[in-house]
Amino acid sequence: MPKRRRSRALLVDITRCIGCRACVGACKEAHGLPGDDTATELSATSLTAMVDQGDLHVRRLCMHCEDPSCASVCPVGALHKTDLGPVAYDARLCLGCRYCMVACPFNVPRYEWTKAVPAVRKCDMCIERVAQGQLPACVDACPVEATVAGDRDELLAEAHHRIAERPGDYHPHVYGETEAGGTSVLFLSPVPFAQLGFVQGLPAEPLPDLTWQVLEKVPGVVTLGGAALLAVWWITHRREEVAAAQTAREDDHA
Amino acid sequence: MRDRYGVPFWKAVFYLLTAVGFVVLVRRYAYGLGAVTNLSDAYPWGLWIGFDVLCGVGLAAGGFTITTVVYVFNAKRFKPIVRPTILTAFLGYVLVIVALLADLGRPWNLWRPIVLWNPRSVMFEVAWCVMLYTTVLALEFSSLLLEKLRWTRALAVQQAVTLPLVVAGALLSTLHQSSLGSLYLIVPGKLHPLWYTPLLPVLFFLSAIAVGLAMVIVESRLSSRAFGRALEMPLVSEVGRVLVAALGVYAVTRVFDLADRGVLGAAFRPTGEAGLFWLEFLGGVLLPMGRLAAPRVRANTGALYGAALLTVMGFVVHRLNVSITGFESAQGGRYVPAWSELAITLMLVALGFGVFALAVRHLRVYPEAAPARA
Ligand code: SF4
Ligand code: SF4
């Protein structure tokens, strides 16, 4: 994958969040989804949600991976990483195989289980607004700039800057900098991320590489396998011909 | 077959299962997957993928192993097995496609991978394998029909392309069986270490070969009970002997892999996963392998059949562990199929048996037997 320059990203600073849930409500409004701002778990109608853990409030949303598993596994490319940054989805192409849901290391995509014509639902970083230079709805709604938007490189620098400036207030890790090859949604937290239920133990290499290591062998398997099978066929049938010829000759002599 | 083994009873079962399945299918299309399944955002794949697709494709594996052995390796003594295995494989694949039509959220988009290519996706590879191999199987199977219809010209053409068909079938099957395992390579964090391994594609391939052979034995037994037509016992015993080797290769690879990844210990902890692992590996691999190693067992129809059934059981449990239970420790909660999911699966199984029975009655599936009296 070529390195995208100036891809849009989000930085969520949990130390700043006051738990007002404006982002949750604004997301619903922007996407025309039913319900209010109380969602605590992602669903087909809540593309962002907020978990309250004591004084801390943790947003959940698609991480917009740099090399997203969901897009890599989609057989028809209904999901894809845009140059702009967001991972976008086109329901018209989707087969509904739900492999994206199985594959996402962050368990993000949701399905419209109760619809006859269902779609996968997940945060799209308000791609239409972003394409027009506007802010995503959640960023726009946040009264304290707990979620901000910007270029990924700049936001990463900003995140490290905040940690360096007030090391006592931050856990010294930017979640999303390296997880699963890096994501376009970055988190800062006052406590270790494991305590807040963030997925742990993800490799720094993109997960699609695991699949590619096998898939790239396919042409070789086909060529070698095909050649081997034909070789075996030739040998086994040749042996038979030789044997037949031999018997014929012996018969002649007899 | 009218005169044997309670046919009216089995016919009634067949019609009942098909009717119930059909009603469920209508509900599923009218009200969505949620109306008939227990699938959820945490368990987006359930019985239909875990059993109907993963097991269905595996159980059809006899189709390519036997044709390869006969036509490529020139082991003519296995020739009588070719037809029943091709029939099974063809039916298996058609039913897998029906299952996919039920499971896919938007089945009318099923053709799209033909034009929209994402070669990085294992599902893309799977889709192509299903389409191409079903075509190959249809062509291989066509000889039975052409012969029945006495279309000798077409039959001659069909026979002339046997070798290319067999080779294409072997390659496509190798890719397809292994790619079903590769589907899970992308979830190292979600699948339990007893099942997640970079060797998943290899293990899927090896176990498919074993179960394909086991199915030859199972089918021969069932057809002999139902139609009085079957393979000769020495031949079935011979398949049992090859099955020992196939299970052995699989078992060694499986243990080597667990040891190599340092997770052998996980098999000895008191967890549900360990229990399922032993059910699958001890009950479904080591036990049948040990039993079949004895010539006495291979010479006994009932014992041979029992060992083959154990192999099939072990295979099914392995596929369900990889696709469902292996996710429980990471995903939390649990998926248990709804009765209506089971109804669709049973309908497919019933259709499989029904069409197989029809074919045995009207086509020369077991060539050494005389054609049907009807
Ligand atoms: S978090 Fe999941 S859904 Fe979002 S881009 Fe990454 S893999 Fe895709
Ligand atoms: S459910 Fe749709 S978007 Fe997800 S992988 Fe399948 S085809 Fe792609």
Side-chain angles (χ1 to χ4, degrees), chain A residues 145-166:
Chain A
E145 295 195 337
T147 302
V148 294
D151 294 326
R152 185 171 189 266
D153 294 344
E154 287 167 22
L155 287 182
L156 260 180
E158 165 70 16
H160 283 291
H161 179 68
R162 288 187 199 174
I163 294 174
E165 224 168 34
R166 293 189 292 132

Side-chain angles (χ1 to χ4, degrees), chain A residues 73-74 95 99 113 118 240, chain B residues 34 45 76 106 109 118 121 183:
Chain A
V73 301
C74 179
L95 309 180
Y99 192 14
W113 297 106
E240 198 171 61
Chain B
W45 286 352
K76 292 212 180 72
R106 297 172 171 236
N109 281 345
N118 177 14
S121 165
L183 280 178

Side-chain angles (χ1 to χ4, degrees), chain B residues 160-228:
Chain B
V161 295
T162 297
L163 180 68
L165 277 182
V166 168
V167 171
L171 293 173
L172 286 168
S173 292
T174 306
L175 293 184
H176 192 201
Q177 300 291 353
S178 59
S179 63
L180 291 180
S182 309
L183 280 178
Y184 295 90
L185 288 175
I186 199 142
V187 290
K190 291 194 191 179
L191 186 55
H192 192 278
L194 279 173
W195 292 285
Y196 182 87
T197 153
L199 284 191
L200 268 171
V202 176
L203 290 175
F204 266 56
F205 177 71
L206 294 176
S207 54
I209 290 186
V211 86
L213 296 171
M215 281 303 284
V216 171
I217 301 174
V218 171
E219 276 159 25
S220 179
R221 163 80 169 196
L222 291 181
S223 332
S224 98
R225 296 300 288 274
F227 319 113

Side-chain angles (χ1 to χ4, degrees), chain A residues 74-76 78-79 89 94-100 120:
Chain A
C74 179
V76 290
L79 287 154
Y89 167 71
C94 176
L95 309 180
C97 68
R98 312 185 295 284
Y99 192 14
C100 49
V120 173

Side-chain angles (χ1 to χ4, degrees), chain B residues 198-276:
Chain B
L199 284 191
L200 268 171
V202 176
L203 290 175
F204 266 56
F205 177 71
L206 294 176
S207 54
I209 290 186
V211 86
L213 296 171
M215 281 303 284
V216 171
I217 301 174
V218 171
E219 276 159 25
S220 179
R221 163 80 169 196
L222 291 181
S223 332
S224 98
R225 296 300 288 274
F227 319 113
R229 296 201 195 154
L231 300 165
E232 284 156 17
M233 192 53 197
L235 195 55
V236 188
S237 297
E238 176 88 9
V239 173
R241 209 166 58 96
V242 183
L243 179 54
V244 179
L247 284 172
V249 173
Y250 172 76
V252 169
T253 317
R254 184 90 163 94
V255 173
F256 167 81
D257 168 64
L258 289 173
D260 189 47
R261 288 182 297 118
V263 294
L264 213 46
F268 296 97
R269 270 178 224 121
T271 59
E273 279 86 4
L276 286 167

